[in-house]
Amino acid sequence: MKSVVIEQPGQLTIAQRPLPEPTADEVRVKVKLAGICGSDVHIYHGHNPFARYPRVIGHEFCGVIDAVGANVDAARLGERVAVDPVVSCGHCYPCSVGRPNVCHQLQVIGVHRDGGFSDFSCVPAANAYRIPDALSDRQAAMVEPFTIAANITAHLQPTARDVALIYGAGPMGLTAIQVLKGVYGVRQVIVADRIAARLEMAFANGADEVVNNQQTSLPEALAQRDIRPTLIIDAACHPDILPQAIQLASPAARIGIMGFSAEPCVINQQSITSKELSIFSSRLNSARFPQVIDWMAEGLIAPERLITHSVAADDVEAALHLFEHDRQTCCKVLLQFG
Ligand code: NAI
Ligand code: MN
Ligand code: ZN
């Protein structure tokens, strides 16, 4: 089989590898589509602290089960599935309270272990979620990115009364817009980004208002419109954003962060406590595949709106380059395997 391997930072090969056999609790997935994510690019460049090399990247993928391990029901053969990349131990403290995404022994498929940019991938059977016939392969490949939005919104508990501000209109910001509007019916969603084309995508994904915060001061733009956000999501993840979000937030607001920057940022307790703000962080997803699959089946979210390119897996290097450098036209790129 062919696999996309990052041999070491900066070195990508399409390697010929032997067909893997599933262990007792695994299934083998014949991969159909796999989405490119910023973290794949980070592993390629050696900027992901968790990655070990050589590594088959890819953690957003779907396909068909074509072999099962000894402990797995053979009835699953032929099942179309999307794969949750979060592999957890099941018994540590976070696992015991329903937070497998921060398991003490967390292993992320495509980061800590080989992933989905491959003709075949063996994964724990419990991580392979059946996709209803009504959903397309393209939708199935988009379940994982939407689970990030599902996870952060589960912390934030949006309601129709919220006025939400989202920083960043990349894939993470766009999925968050769709979930806030489509699932939770949030009254008003304002999106800030520095790239005009991304703000156009924000509108196309359901934003009510956008602000180019490179051209305009965001605090001034919100003040002019008399907006005090009650719910803020930082999907741009620059260290300067949290202090500003705290400043802009309404009393009793909730703020969600998802960045991994190691740079410090300056905040003070008074600015948080005086408004009794709640600040949540969110990492990956805690078993949210069924929820997102349901949202897709009910038509509450529209993954097609994020997909701008679909290319043959052999063109992975060009696709990674496009994804990284063309932020005007490129959002989600799907690789076709098999
Ligand atoms: P992206 O790089 O495609 O999008 C980020 C967007 O933010 C860009 O459009 C950029 O122009 C904009 N931006 C940058 N600085 C800004 C600022 N100061 N104000 C407003 N907009 C600004 O990235 P993607 O894939 O959407 O991911 C966003 C972030 O989420 C990344 O930092 C990534 O590491 C993080 N992430 C976290 C996850 C988690 O589970 N915690 C999962 C996936 C991504
Ligand atoms: Mn991803
Ligand atoms: Zn655990």
Side-chain angles (χ1 to χ4, degrees):
M1 66 166 187
K2 272 191 280 188
S3 301
V4 177
V5 182
I6 308 301
E7 303 286 353
Q8 51 178 297
Q11 191 192 336
L12 180 151
T13 59
I14 298 181
Q16 201 66 40
R17 287 191 160 186
L19 192 62
E21 288 304 323
T23 61
D25 295 312
E26 286 183 339
V27 296
R28 186 172 65 206
V29 177
K30 185 174 194 307
V31 178
K32 287 188 172 183
L33 290 175
I36 296 178
C37 174
S39 53
D40 298 311
V41 176
H42 290 148
I43 296 172
Y44 183 19
H45 292 317
H47 297 160
N48 183 313
F50 310 111
R52 297 286 171 272
Y53 301 87
R55 177 62 62 241
V56 177
I57 51 176
H59 60 271
E60 304 177 359
F61 61 106
C62 67
V64 173
I65 294 177
D66 90 318
V68 297
N71 297 339
V72 181
D73 187 350
R76 297 201 67 182
L77 286 166
E79 191 177 297
R80 201 162 58 110
V81 294
V83 177
D84 184 347
V86 173
V87 179
S88 57
C89 79
H91 49 72
C92 67
Y93 170 73
C95 281
S96 75
V97 295
R99 312 269 291 271
N101 50 324
V102 284
C103 171
H104 283 305
Q105 294 169 50
L106 175 67
Q107 293 250 308
V108 182
I109 295 172
V111 180
H112 304 87
R113 56 162 82 189
D114 282 344
F117 287 4
S118 184
D119 287 334
F120 296 86
S121 178
C122 288
V123 303
N127 287 58
Y129 287 89
R130 199 181 78 79
I131 297 296
D133 294 342
L135 298 187
S136 67
D137 292 340
R138 285 160 66 91
Q139 288 176 302
M142 292 296 293
V143 174
E144 196 277 343
F146 275 94
T147 63
I148 309 297
N151 207 70
I152 196 164
T153 52
H155 287 301
L156 295 168
Q157 292 294 314
T159 75
R161 298 178 53 147
D162 278 311
V163 173
L165 169 65
I166 298 178
Y167 285 90
M172 289 305 107
L174 299 177
T175 52
I177 300 168
Q178 285 204 25
V179 170
L180 290 181
K181 294 300 285 187
V183 176
Y184 292 97
V186 167
R187 184 155 63 98
Q188 192 181 23
V189 176
I190 303 114
V191 179
D193 201 296
R194 316 169 86 80
I195 303 173
R198 286 277 167 105
L199 293 172
E200 286 303 317
M201 287 188 219
F203 272 133
N205 281 272
D208 299 295
E209 301 211 36
V210 302
V211 176
N212 186 321
N213 65 339
Q214 184 144 61
Q215 290 167 0
T216 328
S217 145
L218 181 60
E220 281 173 30
L222 295 185
Q224 271 165 16
R225 295 176 218 194
D226 211 14
I227 291 172
R228 298 191 89 185
T230 60
L231 185 158
I232 302 179
I233 295 177
D234 177 8
C237 306
H238 188 279
D240 291 342
I241 290 174
L242 180 59
Q244 187 183 66
I246 289 169
Q247 174 209 331
L248 295 175
S250 159
R254 296 89 77 211
I255 299 175
I257 60 172
M258 49 205 259
F260 288 92
S261 170
E263 293 296 313
C265 70
V266 179
I267 56 179
N268 61 63
Q269 296 185 32
Q270 187 182 65
S271 62
I272 301 169
T273 312
S274 61
K275 294 195 275 190
E276 205 179 65
L277 302 178
S278 303
I279 302 177
F280 296 93
S281 67
S282 180
R283 181 174 187 191
L284 304 163
N285 87 93
S286 53
R288 301 203 182 274
F289 269 58
Q291 183 178 39
V292 169
I293 292 167
D294 283 350
W295 290 347
M296 286 184 183
E298 292 169 35
L300 302 181
I301 51 176
E304 279 291 341
R305 292 194 191 147
L306 277 87
I307 304 170
T308 52
H309 297 77
S310 180
V311 302
D314 284 340
D315 297 327
V316 60
E317 217 161 348
L320 286 166
H321 190 270
L322 174 89
F323 175 83
E324 190 179 356
H325 297 288
D326 182 357
R327 303 188 136 213
Q328 305 296 324
T329 68
C330 185
C331 184
K332 189 54 81 178
V333 183
L334 300 183
L335 297 175
Q336 304 151 2
F337 285 86

